[in-house]
C-alpha cells in the first residue's frame, strides 16, 4: 500500500480525543498505512528565507509543519481564503472584500506549501489535499516536477459559474484545480457547477463516465459526501455526564422541550434568522411559551474578520431581545452559549433535545445534522429540521426540510417537529440512520482513496 500524504491548512492534533470525524478518520487511515500530514503550524514568525518543514513523529504518522509570516497570515489566510473564497463559495458576493495583495499572498503561500512538500515526498506517495486554501497547490507541485497522483477534496460548496466569475482570476483558479487527478465535492450540485464552468468557460469535454477531458489528460471529478463515525457518536450519546442528566431530568419534570443548534459562529450558518424563527414560533403558537427553549451553542471563529465581529454582535442583541420580550421568572426562552462544548457533552445534549435545528444559508455538508441523528434513541427520537441549502439535505430527505430565509416556514416546521407523533418520528429516524450509516466517514475515505489510487469514478449520492 502506498504511503498517504495529507495536506490541509492546519494539521489536526492526532492525539486529541476532541477531534471530529474527519480528523479521526484521516488520522486512522494515516496510521494504518503510515503517512505524513502537512500544514501550517498556526504560528506567525518573521523570516526572510523559507524555513524547512518541522517534522514530528506521532506513532506511524509524521507531522510536517511550516510557520507563516504576519503578511502571509493577513493576505493568504484572512485575505484571499477567508474574505474572498469563503464568502464567494457560499454565494455571499456582498461580503467579499478583495485586494490585489490577497491574491499575491495566496499564491505565495501555496508556493511555500509546495516547496515544503517537495522536500518530504517519496516517489511512491499518494497525495490528498484539502479545501479552498489550497486550490492551486497541485499546479505548484507539478511545476516543481511532482509526478505522484494528487487528489483534492473541497469541504465547502462550489458555486455556479455566474458567481465564480466574480473571483478575480477565476479562470486561473479552475485551470489550477484541473491539475489534480481527482477532484471531490460534497454534493452533485457542486459537481454540476464545476462541470458547467469547465464546459462553458474552458471548452472542456465531459466523458460519459463523468471524467473531464482536458487536452491529453482526464481528470476525475466526483461526489464524495462526507460522513461521521456513527458508532463512536452513538456511544458518546448513550453515556451522558451527571450534569447533562440532571439538566435533562429537570426539564422532563417541568414538561419542557428543547431545540438545539450547534455551529461555528459563522454568517453562513443562518443564526440570526434561526433565532427569529424561534421567536416567530412563540408568536404564532402562544401555547408553546414556557414549554420549549432554544439552546444555541456557537463557537467563535475568525474573529479578526470584520463580518464575524458583526454577526456576534447581532446574535447577542437578538437573543437578549427575545429573552427580554418573552422570558418569565422561571423560563428563559433562549440560552445562547458563546463557546465550545466537548464532543461527548454535545452528543448527550443532542440526545436530550427534541429538535435539532440546522439552518445554514449555504453549507458544504454540515456534520451537525448527521451527529444529531446519530445521537437519537430509537425509543423516543427527536426530529431534525434542516435547511435545504445544506449539502446534507441532498441525502437526508426524511428531515423536515426548510427554507432558512423564510422565518415563517421555519417556525411552522418547528411546531410540526415539536408535536410530531412518536410513530412518524421513529420512521424518519430509521430512514435517516440508514442514510448516515451508508455514507459514513469510512465510506467517504475509502471511496475517495479508490478514485485516487485506482482511478475509479464515484457516482455516490
Ligand atoms: P464546518 O463549517 O466547521 O465544516 P460542520 O460540518 O457543521 O461545519 O462541522 C463542524 C464540526 O464541529 C462538527 O463536528 C460539530 O459537532 C463541531 N462543532 C461545531 N460547533 C461546535 C461547538 N459550539 N462546540 C463543539 N463542537 C462544535 C466544513 C464545512 C462543512 C462540512 C465540514 C466537513 O463548512 O459544510 O460539513 O467542513 O467537510
Amino acid at each position: 500500500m502506498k504511503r498517504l500524504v495529507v495536506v490541509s491548512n492546519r494539521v489536526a492534533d492526532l492525539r486529541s480525543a476532541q477531534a471530529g470525524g474527519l480528523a479521526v478518520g484521516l488520522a486512522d487511515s494515516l496510521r494504518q498505512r503510515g503517512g505524513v500530514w502537512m500544514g501550517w503550524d498556526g504560528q506567525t514568525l518573521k523570516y526572510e528565507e523559507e524555513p524547512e518543514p518541522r517534522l514530528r513523529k506521532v506513532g506511524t504518522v509524521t507531522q510536517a509543519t511550516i510557520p507563516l509570516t504576519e503578511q502571509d497570515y493577513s493576505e493568504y489566510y484572512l485575505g484571499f481564503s477567508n474574505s474572498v473564497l469563503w464568502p464567494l463559495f457560499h454565494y455571499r458576493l456582498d461580503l467579499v472584500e478583495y485586494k490585489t495583495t490577497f491574491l499575491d499572498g495566496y499564491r505565495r503561500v501555496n508556493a511555500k506549501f509546495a516547496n515544503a512538500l517537495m522536500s518530504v515526498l517519496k516517489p511512491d506517495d499518494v497525495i490528498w489535499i484539502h479545501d479552498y486554501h489550497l486550490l492551486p497547490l497541485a499546479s505548484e507541485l507539478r511545476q516543481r516536477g511532482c509526478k505522484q497522483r494528487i487528489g483534492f477534496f473541497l469541504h465547502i460548496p462550489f458555486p455556479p459559474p455566474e458567481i465564480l466569475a466574480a473571483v478575480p482570476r477565476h479562470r486561473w483558479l479552475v485551470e489550477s484545480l484541473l491539475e489534480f487527478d481527482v477532484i471531490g465535492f460534497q454534493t452533485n450540485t457542486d459537481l454540476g457547477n464545476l462541470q458547467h464552468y469547465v464546459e462553458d468557460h474552458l471548452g472542456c469535454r465531459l466523458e460519459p463516465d463523468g471524467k473531464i477531458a482536458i487536452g491529453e489528460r482526464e481528470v476525475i471529478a466526483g461526489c464524495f459526501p462526507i460522513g461521521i463515525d456513527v458508532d463512536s457518536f452513538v456511544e458518546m450519546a448513550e453515556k451522558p455526564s451527571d450534569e447533562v442528566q440532571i439538566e435533562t431530568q429537570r426539564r422532563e419534570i417541568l414538561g419542557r422541550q428543547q431545540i438545539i443548534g450547534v455551529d461555528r459562529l459563522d454568517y453562513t450558518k443562518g443564526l440570526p434568522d434561526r433565532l427569529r424563527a424561534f421567536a416567530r414560533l412563540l408568536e404564532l403558537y402562544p401555547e408553546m411559551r414556557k414549554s420549549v427553549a432554544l439552546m444555541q451553542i456557537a463557537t467563535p471563529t475568525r474573529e479578526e474578520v470584520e463580518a464575524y465581529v458583526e454577526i456576534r454582535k447581532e446574535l447577542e442583541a437578538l437573543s437578549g431581545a427575545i429573552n427580554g420580550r418573552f422570558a418569565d421568572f422561571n423560563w428563559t426562552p433562549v440560552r445562547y452559549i458563546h463557546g465550545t462544548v466537548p464532543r461527548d457533552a454535545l452528543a448527550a445534549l443532542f440526545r436530550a433535545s427534541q429538535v435539532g435545528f440546522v439552518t445554514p444559508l449555504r453549507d458544504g455538508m454540515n456534520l451537525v445534522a448527521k451527529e444529531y441523528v446519530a445521537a437519537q434513541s430509537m425509543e423516543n427520537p427527536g426530529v431534525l429540521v434542516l435547511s435545504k441549502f445544506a449539502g446534507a439535505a441532498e441525502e437526508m430527505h426524511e428531515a423536515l426540510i426548510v427554507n432558512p430565509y423564510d422565518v415563517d416556514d421555519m417556525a411552522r416546521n418547528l411546531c410540526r417537529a415539536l408535536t410530531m407523533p412518536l410513530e412518524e418520528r421513529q420512521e424518519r429516524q430509521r430512514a435517516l440512520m440508514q442514510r448516515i450509516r451508508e455514507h459514513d466517514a469510512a465510506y467517504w475515505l475509502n471511496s475517495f482513496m479508490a478514485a485516487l489510487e485506482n482511478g475509479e469514478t464515484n457516482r455516490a449520492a
Side-chain angles (χ1 to χ4, degrees), residues 232-240 344 347-348 351 374-376:
S232 80
F233 217 80
V234 169
E235 204 179 302
M236 284 190 289
E238 283 172 350
K239 281 192 238 143
D344 51 351
R351 194 183 184 89
Q376 299 311 301

Side-chain angles (χ1 to χ4, degrees), residues 78 85 92 296 330 337 348:
L78 296 178
L85 294 178
R92 291 298 300 270
Q296 176 62 55
N330 62 354
I337 299 158

Side-chain angles (χ1 to χ4, degrees), residues 83-93 96 159 163-168 267:
S83 300
V84 179
L85 294 178
W86 178 269
L88 198 132
F89 277 37
H90 287 90
Y91 300 50
R92 291 298 300 270
L93 285 171
V96 171
I163 292 186
L164 188 62
V167 191
Y267 50 77

Side-chain angles (χ1 to χ4, degrees), residues 92-155:
R92 291 298 300 270
L93 285 171
D94 57 318
L95 294 176
V96 171
E97 286 196 39
Y98 178 71
K99 289 186 193 153
T100 317
T101 52
F102 290 175
L103 187 57
D104 298 340
Y106 187 70
R107 299 181 79 156
R108 184 175 63 244
V109 172
N110 271 272
K112 278 188 187 178
F113 267 62
N115 291 337
L117 206 56
M118 289 305 285
S119 73
V120 297
L121 284 179
K122 294 184 180 165
D124 264 356
D125 287 342
V126 274
I127 308 167
W128 190 1
I129 294 167
H130 291 260
D131 235 358
Y132 59 102
H133 314 85
L134 304 173
L135 293 168
L137 186 51
S139 161
E140 292 289 346
L141 288 167
R142 296 290 183 227
Q143 286 167 36
R144 287 163 179 75
C146 171
K147 298 274 188 304
Q148 290 87 337
R149 275 181 77 77
I150 318 179
F152 177 79
F153 185 76
L154 184 68
H155 291 260

Side-chain angles (χ1 to χ4, degrees), residues 25 99 105 122 133 159 165 179 195 284 320 357 433 438 448:
K99 289 186 193 153
K122 294 184 180 165
H133 314 85
E179 295 283 339
Q195 290 173 336
L284 289 176
F357 200 17
M433 199 65 175
E438 204 173 310
F448 190 92

Side-chain angles (χ1 to χ4, degrees), residues 373-384:
V373 168
Q376 299 311 301
S377 76
M378 204 50 219
E379 296 78 59
N380 189 19
V383 180
L384 176 65

Side-chain angles (χ1 to χ4, degrees), residues 20 22 86 90 153 155-156 186 226 262-264 269 297-299 339-341 343 346 350 363-368 371:
L22 162 68
W86 178 269
H90 287 90
F153 185 76
H155 291 260
I156 66 174
Q186 301 271 27
I226 200 164
V262 174
D263 308 77
R264 274 187 312 99
K269 302 291 183 186
I297 306 172
T299 313
T340 305
V341 172
R343 284 185 78 65
L346 205 59
F350 282 149
D363 217 332
M365 176 56 64
N366 196 299
L367 293 178
V368 171
E371 290 167 352

